Amino acid sequence: MNAVAIIGCGFGDESKGKMVDYFSDPTTLVVRHNGGAQAGHTVQLRDGTRHVFHHFGSGSFRGAATYLSQFFIVNPFLWEKERLELDALGIKPKVFLNSNSPLTTPYDMLINQAIEDCRGNARHGSCGLGINETIERNTRPYATLLKDALTPGFRQTLEAIRAEYVPYRLRELGIKEPWGLWQARLNSDELLESYMLALGDLLWHAFEIHPKFPSWQGSVVFEGAQGLLLDQ
């Protein structure tokens, strides 16, 4: 088996997506092994076909399969959006999921966005996808892994996160009470329903959900999510 690792040594924008595309073919498995949907790797073909890859491996145009490892943070909202974009281009990648991958909830995203809003002119420039909030929550009793989404009580888990964890976390971050629009978003049952539908899309279209690396006979390309100078 041939294995190639694509690593950016700066702050991003090092053409990682282009290099993954270069090393990929239909026998390739592209492994997303760190970060999450905040990574945006652009690939543009000679005919002008273009896509910014977030969840799917940047070798998808070449027919490569994707593996999201247990170190990749899965976001069902972004997954569904990107799958539909690729579908419109006629691309239907085979995707393997690790059942132990951290799973972002809409509440991680809302906490992230609310805190960024509070910073005003001192904003960090966060993408608002709840990456750090997912990691932080997963160190606590309210952790969610992809395998938890396969259980019948997962909706109740989300409701508990909304009712119990979110107020605690906001107070921890210095927000005593969400205001106006943020409170409405947190309380929205429509948001919760949309998330459950996106999660269903993820589980339905996954080729395989398993706690171990998939059996693979071809080459493997490890696609780094960000430049080393941005990595923790």
Side-chain angles (χ1 to χ4, degrees), residues 6 16 26 29 35 38 40 63 65 135 185 223 227:
I6 306 300
K16 292 186 291 296
L29 179 68
Q38 91 287 0
I135 295 172
R185 288 171 175 168
E223 180 173 358

Side-chain angles (χ1 to χ4, degrees), residues 74 76 101-105 108 134 137 144-146 149 154 195 199:
V74 177
S101 295
L103 189 63
T104 291
T105 73
D108 302 306
T134 302
R137 181 176 49 73
T144 52
L145 302 179
L146 185 59
F154 187 64
Y195 180 80
L199 183 59

Side-chain angles (χ1 to χ4, degrees), residues 44-50 61:
Q44 181 166 321
L45 305 181
R46 293 181 184 274
D47 65 4
T49 304
R50 180 181 185 274
F61 283 158

Side-chain angles (χ1 to χ4, degrees), residues 94-156:
K94 178 185 291 186
V95 181
F96 299 87
L97 303 176
N98 189 291
S99 57
N100 292 311
S101 295
L103 189 63
T104 291
T105 73
Y107 307 112
D108 302 306
M109 299 171 70
L110 286 175
I111 292 171
N112 180 183
Q113 293 166 20
I115 292 301
E116 185 75 344
D117 192 29
C118 281
R119 293 183 178 123
N121 294 331
R123 292 176 181 175
H124 292 178
S126 170
C127 56
L129 297 182
I131 297 293
N132 183 66
E133 287 301 323
T134 302
I135 295 172
E136 179 64 35
R137 181 176 49 73
N138 273 23
T139 65
R140 308 185 186 202
Y142 294 90
T144 52
L145 302 179
L146 185 59
K147 63 184 177 183
D148 298 324
L150 300 173
T151 63
F154 187 64
R155 183 191 176 95
Q156 285 69 41

Side-chain angles (χ1 to χ4, degrees), residues 151-186:
T151 63
F154 187 64
R155 183 191 176 95
Q156 285 69 41
T157 299
L158 293 174
E159 290 173 345
I161 290 172
R162 177 173 66 175
E164 301 165 14
Y165 176 76
V166 171
Y168 169 80
R169 178 61 175 159
L170 288 174
R171 288 194 299 272
E172 192 174 54
L173 292 168
I175 298 179
K176 294 182 179 179
E177 186 71 31
W179 62 101
L181 181 60
W182 292 112
Q183 185 66 67
R185 288 171 175 168
L186 287 169

Side-chain angles (χ1 to χ4, degrees), residues 180-227:
L181 181 60
W182 292 112
Q183 185 66 67
R185 288 171 175 168
L186 287 169
N187 292 339
S188 172
D189 288 331
E190 184 179 350
L191 176 65
L192 182 54
E193 291 297 337
S194 296
Y195 180 80
M196 293 301 293
L197 289 172
L199 183 59
D201 186 273
L202 169 69
L203 299 177
W204 177 259
H205 287 93
F207 183 77
E208 181 181 295
I209 303 174
H210 195 268
K212 294 186 178 180
F213 196 89
S215 176
W216 196 256
Q217 299 301 316
S219 62
V220 176
V221 175
F222 292 89
E223 180 173 358
Q226 63 268 328

Side-chain angles (χ1 to χ4, degrees), residues 63-108:
T66 297
Y67 174 54
L68 304 183
S69 83
Q70 70 268 36
F71 305 109
F72 183 88
I73 302 167
V74 177
N75 185 319
F77 279 143
L78 275 293
W79 156 281
E80 183 181 38
K81 178 177 182 293
E82 186 175 4
R83 185 190 67 77
L84 292 173
E85 290 172 351
L86 288 172
D87 192 62
L89 294 173
I91 308 296
K92 301 179 185 293
K94 178 185 291 186
V95 181
F96 299 87
L97 303 176
N98 189 291
S99 57
N100 292 311
S101 295
L103 189 63
T104 291
T105 73
Y107 307 112
D108 302 306

